[in-house]
Each structure stands twice: as structure tokens, then as C-alpha cells.
Amino acid sequence: MTTTQHSATPACSPFAPLLPLASRHLLDGDQETRLRAHAAVCDHCQAELALYERLDRGMRQLDSARQQALPPLTVEQIARTLATGRASGAAPRAPSPDVVPAPPRIRARRGLLSSLAPYAAVAVLLVLALVIFGLPGVLRGSRSGGGGGIPLAKDVQLTGIAMLPSGTGWAIGSDASRHGALFQRVAGRWRAVSLPRGVPAPVSLNSIALSSATEGWIVGESLAGAGANTSVLLHERAGAWSVVSLTFPAALTRVVMRTASDGWAVGTARDQEGVLLHYDGLTWTRVHDVAFVGVQLNGVSAIAPNNVWVTGRLADLSSVILHNDGSGWRQDGGLDLSEAALASIQMLSASEGWAVGGYCTCGHSRDVPTSTLSGALILYYHAGVWAFQTAALQASTSPEPFLGGDLLAVSMISPTEGWAVGVGSTIVHYSLGSWSPEASPSRLPPGATQPSPSLLGIAMVSATQGWVVGDQGTLLRFDNGDWEAD
């Protein structure tokens, strides 16, 4: 079956330099055949080729109009004109030997217009190129240190990110007015993308997941109107997003896609019952179970359609881990999580996984003036048993100090490599059996008038490449050992 691509993929790389040549029919037969065959199944390269062809037609039309008004200028004539203008400080004039003299009374004005015509045409073409292609650092600002893109305002809160190994992907969030925000990374640059019609405002877009290079999902909650929140579910097909209608009110907080036909989303309904949705490739279906009653679900991870973990919080603010291995939902772990707030879970296999979060006693049902626990929480699952791992992080001998901020998201690349991020621009790294804090470029210096931004989402695509998003328009990229602004 023929598939289409609206975003650049690794397969596009060898054809990118050929596109402008193809628009001017400068390729040999073999190159032309291979490019046209690729473009036939790649909407991205089709669109790029069409842009080059339109630009080439525009250039020929402008050149034709100029030639009808004036004899053509040679390269040597243009060079002499520019040199004369630089030497005298005056505007460049067209070389007089090649210009037909005008009637005396309008000679000066016609001469000026004649000399400027070629440069005006070049200016028009430059503007067209900038509008069409968005040249770096001109129409699209650039951020220090990374691939660049739109400069995000400090009032933009980025809540989720999903990336592909090719470096393309999406980030979501909202601005200070709680209007949803969507950004796409293509060819090393970020650009703003309009949300589809039907997305309410205000809205909270909470999580994003990709099932392939051409399909993805976003979940969130509408904050519009009086009363409780209602669910928001967006679906992407080949770069185009649409709103999927849901029939029940709920605030959806997390979505994961194991495959294109096995996806999961969690949240909380108006009656405070946990909501678990399953996607089978065609429809989303709510999974009902007594284990979800009174549990605000906020995390989910699946390794098979019948092997799923979810995390949540009870009314007394204690946390639970629920597991279904095909025999039904049950509470997992056996740990005391009465003061814990789990925020993210990722299972690597049926016998290994991680969960991260922090501690909170705000509104706790027990009469305790202060908590004996604070800061980050890391749990490790192995061979059916959950265990605390935070102490190892606190005892780390890394030169980067661990400031103890709650962890809000985890992304494991393999059983021996992973990352977690959280409050206060905290970044911690897991390698070869131990966690250690890492330097964060978004962390503000001591004495700053405002706190460092919280890092809310992370997507690692390999041991050497990954992305992080957070408050204050924070967007970081990990590239071969260093975190930097992207």
C-alpha cells in the first residue's frame, strides 16, 4: 500500500539537494527518474518541488518583464555598477552604453528606475524566498545553542513532547491565557502549528504520543465554561490534526502508544473515578474496573495489550500503582506511598520498569505538621518487586549538586540508560546501575528573582539524542553528551 509523508524523513535526505535542480530541468535521466519516483510517494518532497517550480516560474516571469523594458545586463555590467556606487556613495546606475536614451525631460527619472529594476527584482525574489522557505535567523528567530526555530515566549508552558529518531516531532503546551499551543520540529527547526477547529479555549493539552512518523495523539482537558472539565482528544494523520469527539466528561492527563493499534490514555472523570481508555486501531473504549474508583489516574505504561500498569492518587493524596497482567486489575508494589505523588511510569518489560515523582503532605488526612520526606522519588521494579531508589541519587558523587526537586517525567532508553526531569530544572541521568544529577542549561543562578523553570516532559530517542520541555518556554536538546537550548 502506498503511504505518504508530509514531514521530512531520512529517505528525503539524498533528494533534498536535487529539488531545486529538478525544477529547472538540470538533472540527468537517472537522477530525474529516482527523484520523481520518490516524490510520487512522499508528499513532503512533492510540496518542496512544487515550491521550487513556482519560484522558478516567478523568476522567469520577472526576468521576462525586465527584458521587455530594458536590454539585459551582463554580470560584468552589474559588477561595474556596484563598484561605481560603492566608490561614490551614490545609488548604482545602469551602464549607459547599454541603455536606450530616454527623452530629455524624463531621462533622469527613467535612468534611476532602469538602474534599480534589476535590484528590485532581486529584492522581490529574496522576500519570496524568505516567505516560502523561512530562512534561518530572519523570519524565524533562533534560540541559542540548538537547531533554532521560533523564539518561545516566557509565558508559554510546554507540557509534553514526542520525537522520532529522525529528529522530527511535536511539542504541546499553552500560553498565559490557557490557549493551546502546538509546535512541530522539521529539518532541525521548530515552527508553530495552528490547532484544528473545535479545540476549546481555555484548554490544557497534557500529553502527546506518536505511533508512527505519520500518526499521533494528544490528550487534555477543556477548561471552558462552568462546572467540571471535559476531555480533549486530538488525532494526527500525516501532519494534519483533527478533534476526536468523546462522549464523557473527563480530564485526560497521559497518553502512550505502544503500536498504531494499541494505545492507552488515563485521567479522571467528573465523579473522581479514574478513567482508562484503550485504542485498538479503530476506536477508543473506556475500561471500567472497581480498582479505579476514587483513584485519579495520571500515568500509564504498557508492554502488551494485556500487560498494563497505571499510577494514580487517592483522596488522601497517597499514591497507588495498579497492574493488569491479563488476570485483572490489582494494586501492585507493597510500598508505603502514603506521602508520595507519582508523576510518570515507564515499563521496559514484564519484569523491569521505573516510576518517578515526589512527596507532598498538602491536605494530607493524617495530622502531621511536616513531612519527614521531601523532594524526588524514584521507584524501580524488578522481578515483581518495587523498591525505592532515591537514596542512591542523593548519595551521588557527581560534581553537579542534586537539589532534590520532584521528578515529573522519565524516559528510559534501555535497562542501563535513562533520564528523568522535574522541578527546578532538575535533570538526572541513569547509567550502568546508578542515578546522578546533570547540569541543566535552564537552571537559573543562585539569587535569581524567580525560580528555575520546571521541566515537564522528556523524549529520549537514543543514548545520544533527546529533548526536554517545560515552563517559561523551555525547550532543551541533548546532543552527544550535552544539554542545550533547542
Side-chain angles (χ1 to χ4, degrees):
M1 180 179 66
T2 299
T3 59
T4 59
Q5 301 287 347
H6 282 253
S7 300
T9 69
C12 300
S13 298
F15 299 103
L18 304 180
L19 293 172
L21 300 177
S23 68
R24 305 193 67 183
H25 308 289
L26 298 177
L27 297 179
D28 61 35
D30 181 62
Q31 290 175 321
E32 181 81 9
T33 300
R34 289 189 294 109
L35 174 61
R36 297 293 175 178
H38 170 74
V41 295
C42 176
D43 281 358
H44 171 78
C45 288
Q46 263 186 34
E48 291 292 303
L49 181 57
L51 287 175
Y52 279 115
E53 290 173 342
R54 288 201 298 271
L55 183 59
D56 187 61
R57 286 196 298 270
M59 292 175 67
R60 290 197 302 269
Q61 291 169 0
L62 285 171
D63 186 63
S64 175
R66 184 179 66 82
Q67 289 182 10
Q68 293 174 12
L70 295 169
L73 300 179
T74 67
V75 173
E76 291 79 12
Q77 291 166 351
I78 293 175
R80 288 200 304 269
T81 301
L82 293 176
T84 302
R86 286 194 297 267
S88 64
R93 291 179 175 272
S96 56
D98 299 301
V99 178
V100 177
R105 282 192 290 183
I106 61 172
R107 180 179 300 168
R109 179 172 297 178
R110 181 72 61 84
L112 177 60
L113 293 177
S114 300
S115 65
L116 292 179
Y119 312 110
V122 173
V124 170
L125 292 175
L126 178 59
V127 172
L128 284 173
L130 292 176
V131 171
I132 293 173
F133 302 106
L135 297 183
V138 181
L139 293 185
R140 307 178 183 180
S142 61
R143 297 174 65 90
S144 61
I150 57 170
L152 297 179
K154 289 297 184 182
D155 65 353
V156 174
Q157 181 189 59
L158 296 175
T159 53
I161 186 167
M163 300 298 298
L164 298 168
S166 62
T168 61
W170 301 85
I172 59 171
S174 59
D175 60 20
S177 301
R178 302 310 297 270
H179 289 86
L182 178 62
F183 305 96
Q184 184 183 23
R185 192 178 195 269
V186 180
R189 300 187 63 79
W190 289 96
R191 66 185 185 97
V193 177
S194 298
L195 289 170
R197 291 186 179 183
V199 176
V203 68
S204 176
L205 302 180
N206 297 326
S207 180
I208 180 172
L210 302 178
S211 57
S212 71
T214 58
E215 186 174 20
W217 295 88
I218 295 173
V219 300
E221 55 189 299
S222 168
L223 306 178
N229 300 337
T230 55
S231 58
V232 171
L233 181 61
L234 308 181
H235 185 205
E236 179 242 348
R237 283 281 195 181
W241 289 89
S242 60
V243 176
V244 178
S245 298
L246 295 180
T247 59
F248 58 89
L252 298 178
T253 54
R254 193 76 62 190
V255 61
V256 296
M257 299 301 299
R258 194 182 67 85
T259 68
S261 59
D262 186 23
W264 301 85
V266 295
T268 305
R270 287 183 177 178
D271 59 5
Q272 297 305 301
E273 180 178 343
V275 171
L276 176 65
L277 305 179
H278 180 237
Y279 182 69
D280 61 3
L282 297 175
T283 58
W284 288 90
T285 304
R286 184 173 179 180
V287 178
H288 291 274
D289 197 277
V290 67
F292 305 148
V293 175
V295 182
Q296 299 180 12
L297 299 180
N298 57 13
V300 58
S301 184
I303 61 168
N306 61 351
N307 207 340
V308 186
W309 281 260
V310 297
T311 60
R313 301 198 77 184
L314 303 175
D316 64 358
L317 299 187
S318 60
S319 286
V320 295
I321 302 174
L322 303 175
H323 180 209
N324 185 352
D325 60 2
S327 60
W329 288 95
R330 66 179 187 276
Q331 187 167 337
D332 202 13
L335 298 178
D336 180 9
L337 301 176
S338 59
E339 297 182 12
L342 293 177
S344 180
I345 183 172
Q346 182 180 354
M347 303 304 297
L348 299 171
S349 67
S351 60
E352 189 170 16
W354 296 87
V356 300
Y359 290 97
C360 174
T361 56
C362 305
H364 204 285
S365 60
R366 293 187 298 169
D367 185 18
V368 288
T370 58
S371 173
T372 57
L373 302 172
S374 63
L377 171 64
I378 301 177
L379 302 181
Y380 175 57
Y381 180 81
H382 181 67
V385 178
W386 286 95
F388 292 104
Q389 290 284 310
T390 314
L393 174 61
Q394 295 170 335
S396 169
T397 58
S398 168
E400 182 69 21
F402 177 60
L403 303 181
D406 290 13
L407 298 176
L408 304 176
V410 62
S411 180
M412 301 300 298
I413 306 156
S414 70
T416 60
E417 187 85 17
W419 297 81
V421 297
V423 174
S425 289
T426 297
I427 300 178
V428 295
H429 179 212
Y430 180 77
S431 180
L432 301 176
S434 63
W435 288 91
S436 60
E438 295 283 330
S440 173
S442 61
R443 179 174 294 154
L444 300 178
T449 58
Q450 61 181 355
S452 296
S454 292
L455 305 180
L456 306 176
I458 181 170
M460 300 300 300
V461 298
S462 71
T464 59
Q465 191 173 32
W467 283 263
V468 165
V469 295
D471 291 336
Q472 303 176 29
T474 301
L475 208 165
L476 307 178
R477 178 169 63 103
F478 182 74
D479 186 24
N480 291 318
D482 294 308
W483 288 98
E484 58 187 16
D486 190 25

